[in-house]
Amino acid sequence: MARLFPFRALRYDPTRVNLTDVVTQPYDKITPAMQDAYYAASPHNLIRVILGKHLPADTEAGPNVYTRAAATLNDFRNEGILKEETEPALYIYSQTYTVPGSSEVRERRGFIALGQLHDYADKVVYRHEQTFPKHKSDRLALFKATRAYCEQIYMLYSDPESKVDHLLFDTAGAQQPAAMRAPDVEITDEYDVIHRLWKLADPDIIQQVLDAMADKWLLIADGHHRYETSTTYMHERAAQLGVDPNAPPVDTAVAPGKTLPQPAFPEQAMMMTFVNIDAPGITILPTHRVAFNLIGFDGHEFATKAEQYFNVTEIHATQSGHYPGPEALLHRLNDTEGVAFIAATRDGDFLLTPKPEAIAPLIAGLPKRQQQLDVTQLHKVILEKLLGLNEETVRAGGNIRYLREASEALQQVGSGNADVAFLIKPITLEQMKDISLNLEVMPQKSTDFYPKLLSGLAMYTLD
């Protein structure tokens, strides 16, 4: 089912730059403050390619943020700051991190390769959430200008026996696996996540990995916008080249008597990190919602209105007069069984648990799997019914922001930049898998996989 390929990655030359100063978080997780910090860290930071700054004199025809990104990438290559590998390889990738809000340390293991692009209808690649149209148009413009994939899609696959991880991290017959040696790259990011990378160029082990992955389905964990944009670009380029988008791979000689597959045309594949969904180390965090610019919003009025569909409990101040902070509110939320939300307003905080009979008519049109999801009930009952924000408005980004940190959500309410924050529980891995493989999708930003894949460890250029 899944076609994977090794590739000659474009990588930073560690003798020319400090790698810590040039890599970034994924583009959609970069705040304006982070963007400024990346710009200041190094003139060769990848931010100038993946999320450059817009200038007042920019025009649609150029110069603009996309033409500057392409020029910057070319400059980095011409100056030798970025160099293309001489041989196709896979890149073993390990991330060691502390689970936010706890002291638990986990390691997530995977590998970077090219993955062939497929329409969802092919039932090879599965999605789990909706996307935002404006993000896709932005990424398409960037891909066309730079002709490069500088960031990875985070893909999950199922391998209960961990055959692939065994090849990469434990033993590969008589060969010593790459991950038994010191890493080629080791970086600690701004969230204290340790990223390690090993290059794997042995064609025999690469072929074993590709063979082990050939019968897998792939599930997008992070990167829906980039994946859908890349698939659109693939079809566009296939039509221009007059080739079949699903053309079989081409075998390419890599050593005497050794060949490895390559995409039929460069746009047929993109760079992905593959992680075994059955292995330990995967963490999903909730993505909280804040609503803003709600005309005449009042916290107590909202709580009263919500009682038609929810059991509403106001969370009062403690005996010392202090209102619970984000950690206490999350503790209260997670200790509540079943579907639950906390609505934090300037007029008070409220715990909401659904009245099943009351909300049933509002979610009756949804698949059974989704009717019991916290995030689905939040969108259909609270955002749409109680706040009057229709699906089109929400998908377009109007009136809703999505935040990982509960503290930031509460701060926005307290400062007046938002009217209400909805703290929610995370989706489970099993829920996401069940919904995706049954060709259903959840609301946008239903999951937040942690930690993120660093951008700039390896890149795939189409030219």
Side-chain angles (χ1 to χ4, degrees):
M1 293 175 65
R3 287 179 180 170
L4 274 61
F5 312 99
F7 67 111
R8 295 188 299 128
L10 187 68
R11 299 176 67 190
Y12 277 104
D13 182 349
T15 67
R16 300 288 302 278
V17 298
N18 181 345
L19 290 176
T20 304
D21 294 337
V22 295
V23 296
T24 75
Q25 296 293 316
Y27 84 99
D28 56 343
K29 294 297 179 182
I30 297 174
T31 65
M34 292 170 68
Q35 185 187 41
D36 288 341
Y38 289 140
Y39 262 85
S42 167
H44 302 116
N45 190 283
L46 193 66
I47 191 69
R48 291 170 173 79
V49 177
I50 64 169
L51 192 66
K53 292 185 176 182
H54 294 267
L55 302 179
D58 285 354
T59 65
E60 185 174 348
N64 56 44
V65 67
Y66 307 114
T67 60
R68 283 192 295 276
T72 298
L73 186 62
N74 287 335
D75 288 345
F76 288 178
R77 297 179 73 174
N78 292 335
E79 295 168 13
I81 301 299
L82 290 171
K83 292 184 177 180
E84 190 170 74
E85 301 275 24
T86 58
E87 57 191 351
L90 305 180
Y91 299 88
I92 304 167
Y93 188 11
S94 164
Q95 296 168 287
T96 303
Y97 63 99
T98 300
V99 178
S102 77
S103 58
E104 181 184 358
V105 176
R106 294 180 180 175
E107 181 187 17
R108 187 174 71 192
R109 294 176 167 185
F111 67 98
I112 304 171
L114 300 186
Q116 183 168 329
L117 295 160
H118 291 272
D119 293 321
Y120 295 136
D122 295 340
K123 298 183 181 179
V124 175
V125 175
Y126 295 82
R127 59 177 177 162
H128 75 266
E129 63 185 20
Q130 301 280 2
T131 52
F132 298 100
K134 66 178 182 180
H135 290 174
K136 289 191 285 187
S137 62
D138 166 64
R139 292 298 97 179
L140 182 58
L142 182 66
F143 291 159
K144 287 183 174 182
T146 61
R147 299 272 298 160
Y149 291 106
C150 299
E151 301 189 282
Q152 313 146 53
I153 299 297
Y154 176 6
M155 282 289 192
L156 298 171
Y157 65 93
S158 180
D159 184 11
E161 297 178 359
S162 294
K163 293 180 180 179
V164 175
D165 279 349
H166 184 62
L167 284 168
L168 299 176
F169 287 93
D170 299 323
T171 180
Q175 301 289 331
Q176 184 186 49
M180 291 293 289
R181 68 173 188 261
D184 301 318
V185 173
E186 182 168 324
I187 294 173
T188 300
D189 70 16
E190 55 263 67
Y191 300 104
D192 291 326
V193 178
I194 302 172
H195 303 259
R196 298 183 178 93
L197 196 74
W198 296 262
K199 178 182 176 181
L200 172 60
D202 185 299
D204 292 326
I205 301 179
I206 290 174
Q207 190 61 60
Q208 290 180 59
V209 172
L210 302 187
D211 291 343
M213 291 292 296
D215 64 345
K216 310 300 185 192
W217 47 257
L218 303 175
L219 196 163
I220 303 173
D222 259 343
H224 289 76
H225 294 92
R226 282 167 284 156
Y227 183 84
E228 293 174 11
T229 299
S230 301
T231 303
T232 298
Y233 191 32
M234 180 264 291
H235 282 294
E236 181 180 311
R237 287 293 293 156
Q240 291 173 350
L241 297 170
V243 299
D244 180 357
N246 293 311
V250 177
D251 287 331
T252 302
V254 295
K258 305 285 186 182
T259 63
L260 287 171
Q262 290 295 294
F265 57 101
E267 297 86 359
Q268 190 184 40
M270 72 179 304
M271 188 171 59
M272 306 175 183
T273 290
F274 299 89
V275 174
N276 181 10
I277 198 171
D278 301 303
I282 297 176
T283 297
I284 303 178
L285 302 177
T287 300
H288 309 297
R289 273 74 168 148
V290 295
F292 58 94
N293 289 345
L294 302 177
I295 298 174
F297 181 85
D298 178 272
H300 288 295
E301 289 180 4
F302 167 80
T304 300
K305 190 176 179 181
E307 288 178 344
Q308 181 179 352
Y309 303 103
F310 297 91
N311 301 300
V312 179
T313 304
E314 185 168 2
I315 302 173
H316 297 285
T318 62
Q319 291 183 347
S320 60
H322 296 290
Y323 283 93
E327 290 186 4
L329 290 176
L330 289 176
H331 191 272
R332 177 74 176 269
L333 175 64
N334 292 324
D335 279 352
T336 303
E337 292 187 7
V339 174
F341 319 100
I342 284 180
T345 77
R346 288 187 294 277
D347 304 304
D349 303 329
F350 306 90
L351 175 68
L352 281 63
T353 58
K355 297 176 179 177
E357 301 81 5
I359 69 169
L362 301 180
I363 59 176
L366 297 173
K368 291 292 185 182
R369 293 178 188 85
Q370 297 201 45
Q371 290 184 10
Q372 300 306 312
L373 293 180
D374 300 56
V375 68
T376 300
Q377 292 189 24
L378 173 63
H379 276 248
K380 299 302 291 186
V381 184
I382 295 180
L383 299 187
E384 292 185 23
K385 183 65 177 179
L386 295 179
L387 297 183
L389 304 176
N390 61 39
E391 184 176 350
E392 290 73 24
T393 298
V394 173
R395 287 194 65 193
N399 299 100
I400 298 293
R401 300 189 191 102
Y402 302 86
L403 300 171
R404 173 191 295 168
E405 300 294 338
S407 57
E408 184 179 358
L410 297 180
Q411 189 276 330
Q412 290 197 11
V413 173
S415 67
N417 290 325
D419 298 300
V420 54
F422 296 104
L423 308 185
I424 66 174
K425 301 178 184 178
I427 296 292
T428 69
L429 200 58
E430 196 57 38
Q431 286 174 324
M432 188 198 72
K433 177 181 174 182
D434 188 36
I435 286 171
S436 299
L437 297 185
N438 282 283
L439 306 181
E440 299 172 14
V441 291
M442 296 179 286
Q444 61 276 8
K445 301 292 184 182
S446 291
T447 58
D448 182 3
F449 283 84
Y450 184 87
K452 299 304 176 186
L453 307 173
L454 277 187
S455 300
L457 294 177
M459 289 162 258
Y460 171 51
T461 58
L462 303 178
D463 298 318

